[in-house]
Amino acid sequence: MYKKGRVFRRGEIWHIDLSANGRRVRESTDSTNKKFAETVLAKRIVEVAEGKFLDVKKFEKIKFEDFGNEYLELHSKLKKSYDTDCKIVGLLKKTFGGKYLYEITSLDVEKFKSTRAKEVKKSKKGGKEQCISPATVNRSLAVLKSMFNKAIVWGKLEYNPCRSVKRFKENNQRLRFLEREEIDRILANCCEHLRPIVIVALHTGMRKGEILGLKWRDIDIKRNIIHLSNTKNGEKREVPMNETAQKTIIGVLKNPESQYVFCNKDGKPYGDIKKSFFTAIEKSGIVDFHFHDLRHTFASQLVMSGVDLNTVRELLGHKSLEMTLRYSHLSPDHKKRA
């Protein structure tokens, strides 16, 4: 499959630009003559039709589903996102399964993006159905792009068809935080293993993955500091503990067989706490609230107490102040300063 290419000039030399078999090729004609470049382009198009140009025979005929398994085994298995990647790759197989890697084009990816965005998400307990969010579609596109990038690195492909596919714009300005009375209700309805996790989230602003991945060696009781090395932006961060956070962590029953602070009886870290957290939220009569909103609650309480935004930025581990500005309207003095 190919689409008609074009000729373009760079300096004095004319080049051709051609896409075929899902790969894009730009080639210099070493000529200053436009008509000559057009002749070269026409020749290349004929060669594509005859299977002589961009010969796919030099690539292994790898089915998408087979490469998906290889990707999970060699790449995703080493990451915390393994379980999520497995679900996404399984979803991608339903669309691209049966095709060879080199057969998948940018148009195929665009069609997947469009179709996925129109799908309806099944709601829990008979609630109102909603379309898949832009963020969810983007996560699938990110995994697909990563798969093709690995295929290129591993010498199985030359061109990534996701390269020219733009992701959806996401609304990251959602800000939901708890009032003090709501905090008391949630803590009262948390099960035994969940309560200390929620308390640490409320008093440190740490992300769920950072909390569940905490090891005892990361806790500096003497200095009241938590050392984070595996953060979202890849940078090390020190998180100060207040008295409540410190007492909560000290009070966690240590499993002698595990290095993790929060773990099950077998010493393995909790894979996810979504079910128990949802139960606590439901019992508390609180709606439209996610675990990540505990981080918003932490930041909001600081701002409303008069802590400056740059300090809040440092505590949250934001790279730029722009990400922290969403809390500016909560500051008691922000209008006066403006």
Side-chain angles (χ1 to χ4, degrees):
M1 296 178 63
Y2 69 90
K3 61 181 181 180
K4 189 174 180 180
R6 67 185 180 97
V7 297
F8 66 96
R9 188 168 61 181
R10 182 175 293 165
E12 297 295 324
I13 303 298
W14 283 91
H15 297 67
I16 66 170
D17 185 356
L18 178 68
S19 294
N21 298 320
R23 302 194 297 281
R24 184 179 182 183
V25 173
R26 289 183 175 180
E27 178 184 349
S28 170
T29 65
D30 294 323
S31 173
T32 58
N33 190 310
K34 182 180 180 181
K35 287 187 176 181
F36 177 76
E38 290 173 343
T39 301
V40 173
L41 177 62
K43 181 181 178 182
R44 292 289 182 257
I45 290 175
V46 171
E47 289 175 344
V48 169
E50 294 176 346
K52 296 177 181 178
F53 185 60
L54 294 177
D55 187 4
V56 297
K57 291 181 181 179
K58 68 178 181 180
F59 293 104
E60 299 177 60
K61 288 189 174 181
I62 304 171
K63 289 288 181 68
F64 179 86
E65 56 269 33
D66 294 332
F67 183 76
N69 296 334
E70 188 176 6
Y71 172 85
L72 292 172
E73 182 66 27
L74 301 180
H75 176 69
S76 294
K77 211 167 189 178
L78 307 174
K79 299 167 57 184
K80 286 185 177 180
S81 61
Y82 177 67
D83 291 339
T84 302
D85 285 359
C86 286
K87 292 178 182 177
I88 293 176
V89 171
L91 171 72
L92 293 171
K93 286 179 180 179
K94 293 179 181 179
T95 299
F96 301 106
K99 289 188 175 185
Y100 294 120
L101 289 182
Y102 65 79
E103 289 181 323
I104 300 171
T105 66
S106 296
L107 180 59
D108 293 327
V109 179
E110 289 284 7
K111 287 180 178 178
F112 165 77
K113 172 186 167 185
S114 177
T115 302
R116 180 68 174 145
K118 295 174 184 176
E119 290 181 12
V120 176
K121 180 172 61 175
K122 294 180 180 178
S123 59
K124 296 181 179 180
K125 299 189 176 182
K128 188 178 179 180
E129 293 186 336
Q130 295 179 331
C131 287
I132 300 295
S133 70
T136 300
V137 179
N138 286 347
R139 298 299 84 78
S140 298
L141 291 175
V143 171
L144 185 61
K145 185 175 183 179
S146 176
M147 288 178 65
F148 283 116
N149 280 337
K150 283 300 177 185
I152 292 170
V153 171
W154 296 340
K156 301 177 185 292
L157 204 62
E158 273 189 352
Y159 176 73
N160 189 333
C162 296
R163 206 165 109 186
S164 60
V165 178
K166 294 183 179 179
R167 300 185 190 182
F168 287 117
K169 287 185 178 180
E170 298 180 24
N171 179 15
N172 294 321
Q173 297 305 310
R174 179 184 183 277
L175 183 58
R176 170 76 164 93
F177 62 92
L178 296 173
E179 301 294 343
R180 293 191 180 278
E181 182 269 334
E182 291 178 310
I183 293 175
D184 293 337
R185 289 211 317 263
I186 284 184
L187 292 178
N189 287 302
C190 283
C191 58
E192 186 179 356
H193 80 274
L194 178 64
R195 187 175 296 107
I197 295 174
V198 171
I199 292 174
V200 170
L202 285 168
H203 288 268
T204 65
M206 292 166 59
R207 299 177 177 90
K208 181 170 66 173
E210 294 171 342
I211 296 174
L212 297 183
L214 266 184
K215 298 177 181 177
W216 288 108
R217 70 185 183 205
D218 301 326
I219 312 298
D220 188 339
I221 296 296
K222 291 183 179 180
R223 296 175 58 210
N224 290 335
I225 288 176
I226 297 173
H227 298 278
L228 295 180
S229 55
N230 189 11
T231 63
K232 184 179 179 180
N233 58 30
E235 296 181 355
K236 294 182 179 180
R237 185 165 104 248
E238 289 187 348
V239 178
M241 291 185 289
N242 60 15
E243 186 178 353
T244 302
Q246 185 194 57
K247 285 184 177 180
T248 299
I249 290 177
I250 292 176
V252 174
L253 186 62
K254 190 177 188 303
N255 187 322
E257 303 298 324
S258 178
Q259 58 183 326
Y260 291 96
V261 177
F262 302 107
C263 59
N264 57 30
K265 293 180 180 179
D266 297 328
K268 295 180 180 180
Y270 295 115
D272 200 358
I273 52 171
K274 187 181 294 184
K275 187 175 180 180
S276 57
F277 185 75
F278 176 79
T279 300
I281 293 297
E282 194 175 47
K283 285 183 178 179
S284 303
I286 295 173
V287 296
D288 188 29
F289 194 82
H290 310 294
F291 190 94
H292 193 77
D293 295 327
L294 296 175
R295 181 170 160 88
H296 293 325
T297 301
F298 167 78
S300 300
Q301 294 290 342
L302 288 177
V303 173
M304 288 188 289
S305 299
V307 178
D308 65 277
L309 289 176
N310 192 54
T311 299
V312 176
R313 178 191 67 79
E314 292 177 353
L315 291 172
L316 291 175
H318 286 164
K319 276 193 169 184
S320 67
L321 188 61
E322 183 181 358
M323 299 176 70
T324 320
L325 285 176
R326 69 175 74 180
Y327 306 105
S328 63
H329 70 284
L330 301 171
S331 174
D333 297 322
H334 80 282
K335 289 184 179 178
K336 292 180 183 179
R337 287 198 299 271

